[in-house]
């Protein structure tokens, strides 16, 4: 079967750095996405990785290793508004998205 | 800014009722999707469409139907609602970018009593 694994919940301090990991086992790979979802709201796109390496976008960076089936989302200079769930999703060989259950990130002052 | 809209945002109905959740987008996207999401759980694909008159079932069709008569409109219908249909329903669309990033509507939260 296909599955995406992420930690259920993480806690970090305002101003710090946090890394959210995602491991995947899918039938084929055509890209990996990270989305942010605030409570009660719809997901919004953060990043897309299709090649190995690090993609940086402001305070957020996303890393991919296809050989290890692994990605992480790195959030720097954490702000209270970063409290949200972070969803990892992989596009499989049929170009369908397989979603993880999300990591709830709690930011403390 | 994404231009994809869902109505109603919230709906409470009784068992056995027929309901239609509306989804419209003004971005001219060909591909549209309906997802179901329970709190703390992953998104499950219910239906998708790659263009007008094209619809497919996802891994969780949940006894619902969709239609795609116009590019911008992708309604989801439950013929007979049950308490197990209580959930958040998210509509999304994507254009022709290589990444295929999804733009989501704000969701329709359905409660079936």
């Amino acid at each position: 079967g296909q599955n995406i694994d992420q930690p259920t919940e993480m806690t970090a301090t305002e101003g710090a750095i946090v890394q959210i990991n995602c491991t995947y086992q899918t039938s084929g790979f055509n890209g990996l996405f990270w989305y942010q979802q605030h409570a009660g709201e719809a997901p919004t796109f953060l990043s897309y990785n299709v090649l190995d390496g690090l993609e940086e976008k402001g305070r957020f960076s996303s890393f991919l290793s296809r050989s290890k089936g692994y990605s992480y989302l790195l959030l720097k200079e954490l702000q209270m508004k970063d409290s949200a769930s972070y969803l990892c999703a992989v596009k499989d060989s049929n170009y369908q998205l397989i979603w993880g259950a999300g990591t709830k990130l709690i930011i403390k002052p | 800014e994404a231009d994809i809209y869902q109505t109603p945002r919230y709906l409470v109905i009784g068992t056995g009722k027929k309901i239609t959740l509306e989804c419209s987008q003004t971005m001219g996207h060909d591909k549209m999707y309906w997802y179901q999401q329970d709190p703390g759980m992953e998104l499950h694909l219910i239906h998708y469409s790659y263009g007008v008159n094209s619809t497919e079932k996802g891994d969780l069709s949940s006894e619902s139907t969709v239609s795609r008569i116009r590019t911008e409109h992708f309604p989801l219908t439950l013929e007979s609602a049950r308490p197990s249909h209580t959930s958040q329903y998210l509509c999304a669309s994507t254009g022709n970018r290589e990444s295929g990033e999804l733009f989501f509507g704000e969701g329709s939260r359905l409660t079936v009593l």
Side-chain angles (χ1 to χ4, degrees):
Chain A
Q2 306 196 95
N3 68 286
I4 309 282
D5 288 316
Q6 316 177 224
T8 301
E9 186 174 296
M10 299 181 69
T11 302
T13 304
E14 190 177 15
I17 298 173
V18 71
Q19 177 175 311
I20 302 174
N21 295 325
C22 169
T23 57
Y24 62 89
Q25 291 177 306
T26 57
S27 56
F29 178 86
N30 281 297
L32 184 143
F33 296 82
W34 285 96
Y35 284 81
Q36 180 190 60
Q37 186 176 27
H38 285 101
E41 298 182 9
T44 54
F45 171 78
L46 287 178
S47 68
Y48 169 70
N49 294 69
V50 66
L51 299 176
D52 291 350
L54 188 68
E55 295 279 344
E56 297 186 78
K57 192 185 293 186
R59 293 189 299 115
F60 293 5
S61 302
S62 57
F63 172 83
L64 174 67
S65 169
R66 288 172 295 170
S67 63
K68 295 182 179 178
Y70 168 71
S71 172
Y72 67 72
L73 180 69
L74 191 72
L75 291 76
K76 303 176 185 176
E77 302 169 17
L78 286 170
Q79 301 174 8
M80 298 303 293
K81 67 178 182 179
D82 297 330
S83 292
S85 288
Y86 292 85
L87 312 180
C88 175
V90 173
K91 195 179 289 186
D92 68 11
S93 57
N94 294 320
Y95 293 88
Q96 296 294 344
L97 277 176
I98 311 300
W99 293 85
T103 298
K104 183 178 181 180
L105 177 64
I106 300 168
I107 309 296
K108 295 186 174 179
Chain B
E1 191 77 20
D3 296 310
I4 179 165
Y5 309 100
Q6 290 185 239
T7 57
R9 291 290 312 280
Y10 303 92
L11 181 63
V12 180
I13 60 168
T15 297
K17 299 291 185 183
K18 177 180 178 179
I19 62 160
T20 295
L21 304 180
E22 302 287 349
C23 177
S24 295
Q25 50 95 5
T26 59
M27 298 172 282
H29 289 169
D30 287 327
K31 298 176 183 176
M32 296 188 73
Y33 306 82
W34 275 104
Y35 286 95
Q36 184 175 339
Q37 186 185 31
D38 294 316
M41 303 294 289
E42 61 267 41
L43 278 74
H44 289 285
L45 182 65
I46 311 171
H47 295 278
Y48 60 100
S49 168
Y50 286 169
V52 171
N53 294 326
S54 157
T55 62
E56 300 287 344
K57 290 187 175 183
D59 54 88
L60 188 73
S61 61
S62 68
E63 300 160 350
S64 57
T65 59
V66 291
S67 63
R68 189 87 183 278
I69 299 172
R70 302 196 318 265
T71 298
E72 61 270 22
H73 195 213
F74 191 42
L76 174 77
T77 298
L78 285 171
E79 291 294 333
S80 179
R82 297 203 311 260
S84 60
H85 293 138
T86 295
S87 188
Q88 165 99 317
Y89 292 83
L90 293 165
C91 180
S93 71
T94 186
N96 294 324
R97 295 185 187 181
E98 182 207 341
S99 65
E101 67 185 81
L102 291 174
F103 296 90
F104 285 88
E106 292 187 321
S108 294
R109 184 165 296 282
L110 174 65
T111 301
V112 184
L113 302 176

